[in-house]
Amino acid sequence: MHARRCAGPPRTAIHSLMEKRGGGINLACKSYGTTRCDCRLLRTIKSIRFGNGVGIMKRRVLRCSLYGWIGLLAFSGSCFGADSVSAEVGTGTRTKMVRLGAQWGWTSQWWRSNGTHIGGYWDLSIAHWRGTRFQNVPGQTQHINTLGITPVFRLQNDSLRGLYAEAGIGAHILSALYDNNGKRLSTRFQFGDHIGVGYVFADGLDLALKIQHFSNGGIKKPNNGVNFAIVRVSYPF
């Protein structure tokens, strides 16, 4: 896709002056006979600010990408017959996480005994991490979006109600390299393994507590790892 070039006067007809002011760069333009297209372009350039402006732009990009992933997850859940959806909130060392997911249950059952069995499900998730000590600088924040897929094994009652225990290990892609509170991950690809316990109520509402660890499995160093304690709620369709 190629950007359309707008017509304008010869280069000699536009005089641009760059002035450094404070923490940013202001672009002032003295135009002689410039077209409307040129003026829109120059106003756009002039509106760009650095310093705090860059932070605002980054947050907007991150917010838009997260909204896009939420839309993709919702589309996947509705179009591909997901069995349930979930929401999670997690906390780690100077890092917070929120996550949405869709689950597809397995029909296979293993180790059936005394009214229990091992089953499982696929979990497709999107998440947002917010670190509050980016590059180990107090007050500096880092925002990361993640996309993950995890096969989860669950020891549960045959009725699929009541107490259960589960464990899983999946693959996750991060939007940026994690660097917070002195801990760093040198790859965007990460394994995410977790263990958890929960309870499914009679209406299908599922509440769980999980501990999750992220690392790249030693693919590349540094690989300090990131840990979260997570509360999860899910509900079937």
Side-chain angles (χ1 to χ4, degrees):
M1 178 175 172
H2 299 284
R4 181 175 63 86
R5 295 186 178 182
C6 54
R11 293 182 61 184
T12 55
I14 299 179
H15 175 64
S16 297
L17 176 63
M18 298 179 64
E19 299 176 341
K20 292 188 176 180
R21 294 180 180 176
I25 296 177
N26 293 325
L27 298 180
C29 174
K30 296 179 180 179
S31 58
Y32 304 93
T34 59
T35 65
R36 183 178 299 176
C37 188
D38 289 315
C39 290
R40 285 199 302 268
L41 176 62
L42 294 171
R43 283 198 300 269
T44 301
I45 294 174
K46 191 175 180 181
S47 67
I48 297 175
R49 294 291 185 270
F50 297 89
N52 292 337
V54 171
I56 294 173
M57 291 175 67
K58 284 182 177 179
R59 286 195 293 272
R60 287 177 178 172
V61 170
L62 287 168
R63 189 180 300 117
C64 288
S65 62
L66 183 60
Y67 289 161
W69 283 5
I70 291 173
L72 177 62
L73 183 64
F75 175 81
S76 299
S78 61
C79 293
F80 297 102
D83 298 306
S84 62
V85 292
S86 62
E88 299 173 82
V89 178
T91 183
T93 305
R94 297 185 182 277
T95 306
K96 306 295 184 182
M97 176 184 69
V98 291
R99 182 161 58 195
L100 300 176
Q103 296 77 40
W104 289 261
W106 303 342
T107 57
S108 299
Q109 298 181 357
W110 301 277
W111 299 93
R112 293 179 61 92
S113 176
N114 298 321
T116 63
H117 67 272
I118 294 178
Y121 59 92
W122 286 103
D123 181 68
L124 176 65
S125 66
I126 55 172
H128 181 75
W129 299 4
R130 182 179 184 273
T132 58
R133 199 181 176 96
F134 178 51
Q135 295 181 338
N136 212 23
V137 178
Q140 286 279 83
T141 58
Q142 182 181 32
H143 297 268
I144 296 177
N145 296 325
T146 75
L147 175 66
I149 181 72
T150 304
V152 182
F153 293 89
R154 178 178 286 188
L155 176 61
Q156 58 194 354
N157 295 315
D158 291 343
S159 64
L160 305 183
R161 297 294 186 265
L163 290 170
Y164 66 83
E166 68 175 32
I169 180 169
H172 299 259
I173 299 296
L174 279 58
S175 62
L177 298 179
Y178 180 86
D179 185 354
N180 188 68
N181 199 41
K183 293 188 176 182
R184 296 172 57 197
L185 300 175
S186 57
T187 60
R188 293 188 178 183
F189 172 82
Q190 298 291 317
F191 294 105
D193 53 271
H194 79 268
I195 58 173
V197 294
Y199 189 92
V200 180
F201 294 88
D203 62 355
L205 179 66
D206 183 340
L207 296 179
L209 296 175
K210 303 188 335 186
I211 300 295
Q212 188 163 29
H213 172 76
F214 289 90
S215 72
N216 65 21
I219 295 174
K220 185 179 180 181
K221 296 185 179 299
N223 181 41
N224 301 123
V226 182
N227 299 313
F228 290 100
I230 299 168
V231 176
R232 176 179 179 268
V233 59
S234 68
Y235 197 80
F237 286 127

